[in-house]
């Protein structure tokens, strides 16, 4: 199994200030923003047209919370790889049972490491779905059936479409911004 780092999600105290910081300091773009639940919002930032997001920022971090990490995410190559991680996480006594989640643009399993740090193992789907989105998928179905189910669950969502079209649009946006001076540099 080929495992690669994908993204992390941080809990923050001031969502708008943190979005501004990461966009100004690192040149990230706001890819999506939405509500997770009552009074909890998330923003997805990316510095690359090939990744929907490399950083998630989620409000709700209290003043006395010492860690801001919600989870680290690792990308694998296939639904079968994610299914293997579901099996492993349910069999390994060091971790809590994994729970399968799909965001439409990915098929994932979430679990915690022995110290309680959140981990997401994901594989990309061929679709872009504006975020946040979440649904459950059946890890006991054949991989092709999983993808058919994910498509059926999200294809009616406004903005749903082929990931290659979304990436092409993002590549244009990133190319256009390469010709603009960075706000951070213009202050020097």
């Amino acid at each position: 199994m080929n495992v690669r780092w994908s993204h992390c999600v941080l809990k923050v105290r001031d969502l708008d200030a943190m979005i501004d910081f990461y966009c100004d300091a690192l040149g990230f773009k706001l890819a999506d923003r939405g509500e997770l639940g009552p009074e909890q919002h998330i923003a997805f930032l990316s510095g690359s047209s090939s990744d929907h997001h490399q950083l998630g920022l989620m409000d709700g971090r209290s003043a006395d919370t010492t860690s801001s990490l919600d989870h680290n995410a690792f990308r694998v190559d296939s639904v079968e790889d994610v299914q293997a991680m579901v099996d492993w996480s349910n069999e390994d006594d060091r971790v809590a049972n994994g729970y399968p989640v799909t965001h439409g643009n990915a098929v994932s399993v979430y679990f915690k490491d022995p110290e309680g740090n959140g981990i997401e193992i994901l594989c990309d789907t061929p679709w872009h779905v504006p975020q946040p989105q979440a649904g459950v998928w059946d890890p006991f179905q054949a991989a092709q059936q999983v993808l058919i189910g994910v498509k059926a669950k999200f294809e009616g969502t406004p903005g749903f479409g082929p990931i290659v079209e979304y990436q092409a649009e993002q590549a244009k946006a990133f190319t256009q911004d390469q010709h603009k001076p960075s706000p951070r540099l213009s202050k020097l």
Side-chain angles (χ1 to χ4, degrees):
M1 181 180 317
N2 181 17
V3 178
R4 301 162 312 281
W5 186 82
S6 172
H7 67 270
C8 72
V9 175
L10 301 176
K11 295 177 185 174
V12 299
R13 295 181 183 108
D14 185 335
L15 186 59
D16 290 326
M18 294 300 279
I19 291 168
D20 289 345
F21 172 80
Y22 281 99
C23 289
D24 291 346
L26 300 179
F28 282 141
K29 295 192 171 308
L30 181 63
D32 269 316
R33 183 179 183 157
E35 188 173 313
L36 286 172
E39 299 185 34
Q40 188 169 37
H41 300 85
I42 190 166
F44 300 94
L45 307 178
S46 184
S48 167
S49 63
S50 63
D51 293 307
H52 175 267
H53 64 281
Q54 296 166 314
L55 178 63
L57 301 172
M58 182 170 64
D59 61 10
R61 180 178 177 196
S62 65
D64 60 342
T65 304
T66 56
S67 175
S68 62
L69 181 66
D70 181 71
H71 71 271
N72 276 303
F74 300 90
R75 182 174 279 118
V76 294
D77 294 326
S78 67
V79 172
E80 291 90 350
D81 288 342
V82 178
Q83 289 170 315
M85 291 304 297
V86 170
D87 290 342
W88 174 84
S89 68
N90 289 328
E91 293 171 4
D92 193 304
D93 293 336
R94 296 171 297 173
V95 299
N97 287 347
Y99 54 97
V101 175
T102 178
H103 302 293
N105 61 355
V107 173
S108 306
V109 59
Y110 287 82
F111 57 91
K112 300 217 181 262
D113 73 12
E115 292 191 1
N117 299 300
I119 296 174
E120 175 188 10
I121 304 295
L122 69 97
C123 75
D124 295 314
T125 69
W127 309 292
H128 167 70
V129 180
Q131 298 298 309
Q133 302 286 338
V136 178
W137 62 278
D138 183 352
F140 301 105
Q141 288 185 321
Q144 189 61 32
Q145 288 304 116
V146 169
L147 291 174
I148 289 169
V150 169
K151 183 178 183 185
K153 187 174 296 201
F154 293 101
E155 67 185 336
T157 303
F160 176 91
I163 191 64
V164 294
E165 290 178 13
Y166 173 80
Q167 290 170 335
E169 290 171 18
Q170 293 302 305
K172 287 178 191 173
F174 276 99
T175 301
Q176 291 167 353
D177 283 351
Q178 287 177 352
H179 302 293
K180 296 178 185 175
S182 165
R184 179 176 47 88
L185 295 177
S186 63
K187 295 176 185 175
L188 297 177

